[in-house]
């Protein structure tokens, strides 16, 4: 027998290569041990084990993530709003008649206080004007260029560096277990698509967002083009989230992550499904490493990402889990050591 | 050495199991050899070979298929229209006031000639009434039930048996080569989703169709529900096809299949992309095995699935390929021997 170690050695090497590793390292190293981390791992085990009563076939393993405040920083302003404000000078160059018209005039003044006081209606007008008019390819290129250099003032780092490391780990962990991961954002679908593959590993077909009217037509040379119109087809906020999920995915999420009242209906809809389901709410309670806001916990209120008392009460009543950034996340950003 | 055959035998067995088969059988056995079959295979080779100038990374390998007349029989009437007409009696039971109202009165009369003469406007009214009102789960169950027994009068076979075997082979072949396959139908998205996974191996998230308004709400017990509204969010026909593809997929198809003027813009949009692209038109020219229609080739016209002279001219000019059912398909249905 001793003459054949080459054969037997090769046999065992191949056997090892063919088998999946039995011992697994911690899939969620940035998460502190605790009920939230345990709940995620238990859900994955329960839905992927064929012998479990909560087994979910691979095709139906759907995980949805809100973006702003859930997978990256959304303070003091949504990144997309920063983009839209910064696009106003270019817009005015193309349409000089807007120069003297509010709210564009205020934006051009550069007066931070006045800009921060703009009403939601004014902001929506700026969004509609700056997010439309281009072809889908032009828009994608422009957002990709902007996001490659735009930085957050507090950290002086790219916005894409301000994604939450624990959430990136959850996405990878879920995908490694046969889940399809989706971004379900109130932000513009095409805005997020411009970087989602690189930043989250999530392709454009798995980004559900607020949808602008898209118009098919032809350019001067007769080439087909798709142009973004200043029209709202789906407002992917509040009730629009489960509605958008049905339209784009056609399956109910098994696990969903949010952080504000805009995610309420998505979390309700997720939790109302049969079998094991998880609805998760990120609580911004870490003023030192990130921000602290949310009237529910006696923290200050904020214009964006509202975590109200009613939302907190519903979470408790309906069995959603609260993710405390302070206690559940050992590390928030990849650049932290 | 002869003492260790168990080890070496096991080694070779494992080696074989670990390697992909080198020899491959014909992936498209129902296709006759010819330019169309060759073009499909060449496209797959060119887009999946890393050394090819036309290589497409797996995530961007998108194939879209119109359904009616492209992947299954749509004559003499679209299957979904048959469903809607057959649902009218039940609808009238719930809303007796419709009994004496046109076009419902005509449908209830059972007079085939009169029903066939209903205008498009009348048909759309019937569609809106019969495709709305239910929750998305109720609708799915109802369509799934209906399609499990409804038969085509000519063949006395289930509609789902009247899918085109060559197209099912193309779908499988493309998927085996890293393509994502999508149905892009003018029909109701949720109608097709009720059977697409079973019939085409295509999950609901890869069905792009005409989208009804979906409304989030709560039932009497407070449970979240999504209800289908008599509202049109996306008409996935003509220009609506590339618009819907952008919304739902966010990538341009590498290969697209259609059969009528409703597919024109999808095919134009596909062909206008960079690199290797294929736009394919199914021509119904086989009166014996299926149907023959299409004024382009001097065949009779038809109310559905219009293959006009203008479409034919554009196909020729723009380099689309025509699939002749008569000549390119050795077998049309799986039940044929």
């Amino acid at each position: 027998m001793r003459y054949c170690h080459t054969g037997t050695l090769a046999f065992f090497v191949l056997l090892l290569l063919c088998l999946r590793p039995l011992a697994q390292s911690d899939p969620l190293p940035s998460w502190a041990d605790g009920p939230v981390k345990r709940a995620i791992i238990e859900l994955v085990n329960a839905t992927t084990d064929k012998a479990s009563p909560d087994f979910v076939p691979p095709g139906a393993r759907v995980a949805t993530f809100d973006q702003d405040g859930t997978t990256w920083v959304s303070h003091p302003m949504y990144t997309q709003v920063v983009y839209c404000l910064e696009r106003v000078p270019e817009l005015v160059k193309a349409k000089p008649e807007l120069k003297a018209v509010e709210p564009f005039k205020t934006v051009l003044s550069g007066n931070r206080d006045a800009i921060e006081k703009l009403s939601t209606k004014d902001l929506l007008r700026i969004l509609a004007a700056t997010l439309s008019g281009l072809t889908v390819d032009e828009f994608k290129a422009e957002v990709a260029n902007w996001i490659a250099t735009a930085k957050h003032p507090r950290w002086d780092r790219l916005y894409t560096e301000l994604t939450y490391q624990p959430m990136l780990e959850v996405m990878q962990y879920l995908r490694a277990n046969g889940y399809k991961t989706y971004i379900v954002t109130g932000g513009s679908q095409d805005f997020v698509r411009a970087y989602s593959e690189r930043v989250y590993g999530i392709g454009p077909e798995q980004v559900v967002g607020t949808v602008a009217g898209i118009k098919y037509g032809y350019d001067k040379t007769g080439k087909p083009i798709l142009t973004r119109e200043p029209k709202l087809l789906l407002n992917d906020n509040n009730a629009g989230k489960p509605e958008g999920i049905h339209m784009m995915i056609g399956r109910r999420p098994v696990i969903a992550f949010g952080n504000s009242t805009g995610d309420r209906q998505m979390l309700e809809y997720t939790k109302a499904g049969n079998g094991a389901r998880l609805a998760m709410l990120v609580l911004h309670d870490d003023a030192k490493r990130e921000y602290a806001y949310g009237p529910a916990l006696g923290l200050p209120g904020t214009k964006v990402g509202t975590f109200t008392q009613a939302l907190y009460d519903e979470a408790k009543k309906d069995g959603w889990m609260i993710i405390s950034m302070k206690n559940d996340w050992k590390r928030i950003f990849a650049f932290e050591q």
Side-chain angles (χ1 to χ4, degrees), chain A:
Chain A
M1 292 295 271
R2 82 173 88 118
Y3 299 106
C4 61
H5 7 267
T6 323
T8 28
L9 182 68
F11 168 74
F12 283 111
V13 167
L14 266 164
L15 189 68
L16 282 170
L17 286 173
C18 288
L19 291 172
R20 285 162 170 276
L22 290 174
Q24 220 173 9
S25 54
D26 182 356
L28 303 172
S30 299
W31 290 74
D33 286 326
V36 177
K37 179 173 179 171
R38 273 200 303 276
I40 296 171
I41 292 172
E42 275 165 20
L43 180 87
V44 167
N45 291 340
T47 54
T48 56
D49 174 1
K50 278 201 171 166
S52 153
D54 293 321
F55 176 74
V56 176
R61 291 180 201 158
V62 168
T64 57
F65 296 80
D66 166 61
Q67 178 183 247
D68 294 297
T70 300
T71 62
W72 74 358
V73 173
S74 64
H75 271 251
M77 212 176 246
Y78 289 132
T79 308
Q80 182 189 312
V81 174
V82 178
Y83 166 82
C84 290
L85 292 173
E86 292 191 6
R87 260 212 85 209
V88 168
E90 208 176 330
L91 177 75
V92 171
K93 226 183 270 172
K95 295 183 181 177
E97 67 275 17
L98 294 178
K99 205 170 175 173
V101 177
E102 288 297 358
F104 304 100
K105 199 177 153 188
T106 295
V107 176
L108 290 170
S109 76
N111 181 335
R112 277 194 162 238
D113 285 345
I115 292 170
E116 276 180 26
K117 276 182 198 129
L118 287 173
S119 67
T120 305
K121 203 179 147 197
D122 281 339
L123 277 180
L124 286 177
R125 225 180 127 194
I126 293 163
L127 262 63
T130 51
L131 294 173
S132 67
L134 301 179
T135 69
V136 298
D137 292 335
E138 289 165 351
F139 181 70
K140 186 182 168 183
E142 193 169 284
V143 175
N145 275 341
W146 183 83
I147 203 98
T149 55
K151 288 185 175 178
H152 192 287
R154 171 168 160 188
W155 285 273
D156 194 32
R157 284 184 180 270
L158 299 177
Y159 287 103
T160 51
E161 286 183 273
L162 297 173
T163 45
Y164 304 137
Q165 179 61 21
M167 285 306 204
L168 298 177
E169 289 171 7
V170 169
M171 287 177 178
Q172 280 158 8
Y173 174 52
L174 288 167
R175 287 195 291 260
N177 283 281
Y179 274 81
K180 274 197 178 172
T181 51
Y182 291 83
I183 296 285
V184 178
T185 177
S188 155
Q189 180 166 288
D190 281 351
F191 184 87
V192 178
R193 281 171 164 178
Y195 55 81
S196 63
E197 195 147 26
R198 176 172 64 81
V199 172
Y200 300 116
I202 293 178
E205 67 279 12
Q206 282 166 228
V207 176
V208 182
T210 291
V211 182
I214 297 290
K215 199 174 167 60
Y216 183 81
Y218 306 90
D219 69 10
K220 285 174 197 165
T221 70
K223 208 180 148 180
I225 46 169
L226 292 169
T227 308
R228 296 177 55 80
E229 298 211 292
K231 211 177 104 182
L232 189 64
L233 204 66
L234 172 75
N235 180 359
D236 198 47
N237 271 304
N238 307 308
K241 288 211 173 190
E243 291 164 3
I245 287 170
H246 180 74
M247 178 173 76
M248 294 277 299
I249 313 177
R251 310 194 197 246
R252 192 191 297 253
V254 176
I255 179 168
F257 296 82
N259 81 115
S260 80
T261 48
D263 303 311
R264 203 191 86 185
Q265 290 85 343
M266 171 173 78
L267 298 174
E268 287 172 352
Y269 178 62
T270 299
K271 204 66 177 63
N274 296 328
R277 308 268 169 174
L278 267 186
M280 314 286 260
L281 263 181
V282 175
L283 175 68
H284 293 259
D285 58 356
D286 194 328
K288 207 176 143 205
R289 295 188 298 170
E290 205 238 15
Y291 294 99
Y293 51 89
L297 297 208
L299 297 167
T302 157
K303 267 176 95 171
V304 296
T306 321
F307 192 116
T308 60
Q309 186 63 46
L311 187 68
Y312 185 76
D313 292 345
E314 183 168 352
K316 287 286 156 192
K317 192 174 147 264
D318 205 20
W320 310 352
M321 297 202 83
I322 311 283
I323 300 170
S324 157
M325 290 181 75
K326 196 172 172 181
N327 303 318
D328 288 311
W329 289 357
K330 289 198 280 189
R331 189 163 73 149
I332 295 184
F333 304 113
F335 57 79
E336 290 171 352
Q337 287 314 316

